[in-house]
Amino acid sequence: MGFNTVFEECDILVVGGGMGGTGAAYEARYWGRDLKIVVAEKANIDRSGAVAQGLYAINCYMGMRWGENQPEDHVRYARNDLMGMVREDLAYDMARHVDSAVHQFEEWGLPIMRDPETGRYQREGKWQIMIHGESYKPIVAEAARKSADKIDNRIMVTHLLMDESRPNTVGGAIGFNVRTGALHVYKAKTVIIGAGGASHIFKPRSVGEGMGRTWYAPWSSASAYALPIQVGAKMTQMENRIVLARFKDGYGPVGAYFLHLKTYTQNAYGEEYESKWYDELKSMVGPYVDHHPTPTCLRNHAFVREVAAGRGPIHMVTKEAFQDPHKETVGWENFLGMTVGQAVVWASQDIDPKYVNPELTTSEPYVMGSHATCSGAWASGPEDLSPDEYFWGYNRMMTVEGLFGAGDALGGTAHAFSSGSFTEGRLAAKAAVKYIRDHANDRVDVSDKQIEELREQIYKPLENYEIGRNEIVAGTVSPSYILPIHGLQRLEKIMDEYAGGITVNYMTNEPLLKRGLEHLRILQEDLEHIGAEDLHQLQRAWELKHRALASECVVHHTLFRQETRWPGYYYRGDHPQLDDDNWHVLTVSRRDPESGEWTMEKAPVYHIVD
């Protein structure tokens, strides 16, 4: 393939320009005035990542300056919602710094609503503050643009490069420009991964022409996980997928409705239903069902069971709240500022929530580290907080030397959301600068041979198509290659039916998971023959490869944890109870880069906050 090669040497390479990546670029410049900082972003940093479309609330803000919450409170909240499973050192570290990030956003021009009586930020709930957030991402991206030496937009990073002079040490990254096809080779002393988590690994509710409508960003292609997995970094809590209650068909979020508008749910017959499932939940999870607030997954469980019992659909009762003109305005603006598609769906279906209570549904599962769950890479915590097993020299560094993460990339920090992801990027960058200072005499050693081998892999789908298309008389089905859309739908079907998706009501078991791994192994073999007719399809091919590798990790973790820790997110039919005696632990995996074999282990949960 006759594409140009662009070489770039830098001190810090940030992969992904979402909230985590922008935080990393901003903070790296503060501590590393003399360092070269480069950001490689798959889309355009102004409108990329999960906040691209806008956001109507910042979901993680302590309010320490007003005595509203302390970091310890947030750790207890996240621990409760995750049924005991968080990295408390990482969570505390994020929480103690997040307020300063939010104050910066306001200084940069983000409109944050104020309570007219107290002058404080307008609270939507205990942790959420309300914003006018349509331009949230462009505002934050501007700070990154002013901080980095270079922002490379439209670069799909496919692999990390490894240093050949030092074992288990990152040496940069490689990828291609999705518009020009040019190969981009970054040699870097440190790499901070701020790429997105995983949507579209499970079959979505929206199919056909609507398949791009998901709750989590549809372009989040699991690169945050696949990149470290490829080079043997350890991963944690990858079984901890999230399922969300959302407005039907548009995936509009419900938080502002519950918290600010004080709406509530009922079944198809106008009945309150959550209390019906209390006894069943008590038998499954014991005292966790009595915790306040009720863990999100347990609220989901009542929803899922009520629908399965034949009393769906579940409705959000909006008719009462929307009689108040102010609440009606807030309800509509909530979507117009971040989920325009939901407003369009309601308009197209003649739903005016002032007169009709709209339907809710539960989403397909997503795997992510920045929202209310905590999948991602196993990383070191901060020196002053972390137990020995959680600390190996540099905050937010993975088990590969010089490789850091933020946002979706890191496991253990549930309920970080947008502000917490930005904060994690800052923490990772500060540690990366320290790493560079401590290794000032080291030189990055990446051979031409390594680059050429990866170049061949990266462009192979184009070659597969070029050769194989001659065998097609009509149509798109080829005897010699698989197209990205075909592979994606196959992956989604495997994960849906074997790993606990919507079709099976989130249920799985050991035989299903083992059979799912067999299907994934065969899919991986077939992906060696994936074909791409142009650069856009080449991007889709590599997104699929990343999704497939992360999916394999998810299934191994789900198989390893022999309990149902999060009913409402997924169920192990062969281990239906929560089992604190044997499984009050974090799960950790590693894929051997040479053999592709996976190893699993348990890691202790340390409760550093009472």
Side-chain angles (χ1 to χ4, degrees), residues 118-430:
T118 65
R120 300 177 182 180
Y121 293 152
Q122 178 72 54
R123 281 283 181 193
E124 184 179 273
K126 186 173 173 63
W127 306 104
Q128 300 83 1
I129 58 173
M130 300 187 70
I131 63 175
H132 294 286
E134 190 279 332
S135 296
Y136 186 6
K137 185 65 204 302
I139 288 168
V140 174
E142 184 180 5
R145 274 206 317 275
K146 290 178 176 176
S147 301
D149 291 274
K150 192 177 184 190
I151 306 281
D152 281 346
N153 289 316
R154 307 294 175 191
I155 306 299
M156 170 82 198
V157 172
T158 59
H159 301 79
L160 296 173
L161 298 171
M162 295 301 282
D163 193 300
E164 292 169 51
S165 297
R166 294 171 290 162
N168 192 42
T169 301
V170 76
I174 189 169
F176 65 96
N177 187 303
V178 301
R179 295 286 169 82
T180 70
L183 188 75
H184 281 250
V185 179
Y186 300 95
K187 293 183 180 180
K189 294 177 182 176
T190 57
V191 176
I192 301 173
I193 296 182
S199 61
H200 278 296
I201 62 173
F202 286 84
K203 186 175 77 175
R205 292 271 188 202
S206 298
V207 296
E209 73 270 22
M211 73 171 293
R213 181 65 251 166
T214 55
W215 166 71
Y216 193 52
W219 50 83
S220 288
S221 55
S223 297
Y225 310 134
L227 291 169
I229 289 170
Q230 285 170 343
V231 295
K234 290 184 176 181
M235 307 298 289
T236 188
Q237 298 296 86
M238 291 295 283
E239 73 277 21
N240 183 206
R241 79 287 301 270
I242 187 169
V243 170
L244 304 111
R246 287 294 180 258
F247 285 107
K248 192 169 186 298
D249 296 329
Y251 291 82
V254 299
Y257 279 68
F258 281 135
L259 296 169
H260 189 68
L261 306 184
K262 307 302 181 190
T263 57
Y264 56 95
T265 59
Q266 57 185 208
N267 68 16
Y269 303 101
E271 302 165 338
E272 182 278 325
Y273 60 89
E274 289 193 12
S275 60
K276 296 178 188 177
W277 302 101
Y278 174 84
D279 291 339
E280 179 182 271
L281 267 175
K282 183 86 169 178
S283 69
M284 293 176 71
V285 302
Y288 288 99
V289 73
D290 296 317
H291 288 188
H292 294 286
T294 304
T296 308
C297 62
L298 302 187
R299 296 200 307 272
N300 273 8
H301 174 78
F303 188 131
V304 170
R305 295 290 286 136
E306 187 72 3
V307 172
R311 291 187 288 272
I314 304 299
H315 290 105
M316 177 76 87
V317 179
T318 55
K319 289 194 289 186
E320 298 167 14
F322 273 52
Q323 300 309 310
D324 178 334
H326 170 70
K327 288 185 176 181
E328 182 182 18
T329 299
V330 170
W332 282 104
E333 285 186 355
N334 184 54
F335 292 144
L336 296 173
M338 64 174 170
T339 315
V340 177
Q342 189 65 57
V344 174
V345 165
W346 280 354
S348 68
Q349 296 178 350
D350 293 334
I351 294 171
D352 182 341
K354 190 173 184 177
Y355 305 108
V356 177
N357 290 328
E359 289 178 49
L360 299 180
T361 190
T362 51
S363 73
E364 69 277 8
Y366 304 94
V367 178
M368 57 196 309
S370 65
H371 199 266
T373 46
C374 54
S375 313
W378 185 242
S380 174
E383 188 172 11
D384 65 327
L385 290 174
S386 301
D388 290 343
E389 288 112 312
Y390 288 3
F391 179 73
W392 47 91
Y394 301 93
N395 195 5
R396 266 65 181 182
M397 189 171 82
M398 301 180 193
T399 55
V400 171
E401 291 282 311
L403 182 61
F404 297 79
D408 280 345
L410 288 190
T413 49
H415 292 271
F417 302 105
S418 63
S419 54
S421 295
F422 185 90
T423 303
E424 277 205 320
R426 293 178 62 193
L427 293 165
K430 183 178 180 180

Side-chain angles (χ1 to χ4, degrees), residues 13-29:
L13 173 67
V14 180
V15 177
M19 293 299 290
T22 49
Y26 172 77
E27 195 74 10
R29 177 57 67 218

Side-chain angles (χ1 to χ4, degrees), residues 2-187:
F3 295 114
N4 295 335
T5 302
V6 179
F7 290 96
E8 193 79 61
E9 293 195 18
C10 58
D11 296 294
I12 296 177
L13 173 67
V14 180
V15 177
M19 293 299 290
T22 49
Y26 172 77
E27 195 74 10
R29 177 57 67 218
Y30 182 85
W31 298 101
R33 297 288 180 189
D34 56 332
L35 300 183
K36 185 172 181 183
I37 303 156
V38 175
V39 180
E41 160 59 44
K42 184 171 72 174
N44 185 298
I45 193 169
D46 284 346
R47 286 287 183 184
S48 62
V51 181
Q53 192 174 204
L55 207 58
Y56 221 66
I58 288 177
N59 288 332
C60 183
Y61 179 73
M62 302 299 109
M64 286 184 280
R65 66 181 177 184
W66 293 306
E68 292 175 331
N69 301 293
Q70 296 300 321
E72 293 88 348
D73 301 320
H74 194 264
V75 171
R76 293 185 192 103
Y77 166 64
R79 178 175 67 200
N80 173 63
D81 199 57
L82 269 291
M83 312 291 281
M85 303 285 107
V86 290
R87 275 282 300 273
E88 296 190 15
D89 58 330
L90 295 177
Y92 187 98
D93 192 31
M94 179 275 293
R96 65 180 169 179
H97 293 292
V98 71
D99 282 13
S100 66
V102 174
H103 300 157
Q104 283 178 317
F105 299 160
E106 188 173 38
E107 287 175 20
W108 296 339
L110 180 68
I112 302 179
M113 300 184 201
R114 297 267 182 172
D115 185 311
E117 294 181 12
T118 65
R120 300 177 182 180
Y121 293 152
Q122 178 72 54
R123 281 283 181 193
E124 184 179 273
K126 186 173 173 63
W127 306 104
Q128 300 83 1
I129 58 173
M130 300 187 70
I131 63 175
H132 294 286
E134 190 279 332
S135 296
Y136 186 6
K137 185 65 204 302
I139 288 168
V140 174
E142 184 180 5
R145 274 206 317 275
K146 290 178 176 176
S147 301
D149 291 274
K150 192 177 184 190
I151 306 281
D152 281 346
N153 289 316
R154 307 294 175 191
I155 306 299
M156 170 82 198
V157 172
T158 59
H159 301 79
L160 296 173
L161 298 171
M162 295 301 282
D163 193 300
E164 292 169 51
S165 297
R166 294 171 290 162
N168 192 42
T169 301
V170 76
I174 189 169
F176 65 96
N177 187 303
V178 301
R179 295 286 169 82
T180 70
L183 188 75
H184 281 250
V185 179
Y186 300 95
K187 293 183 180 180

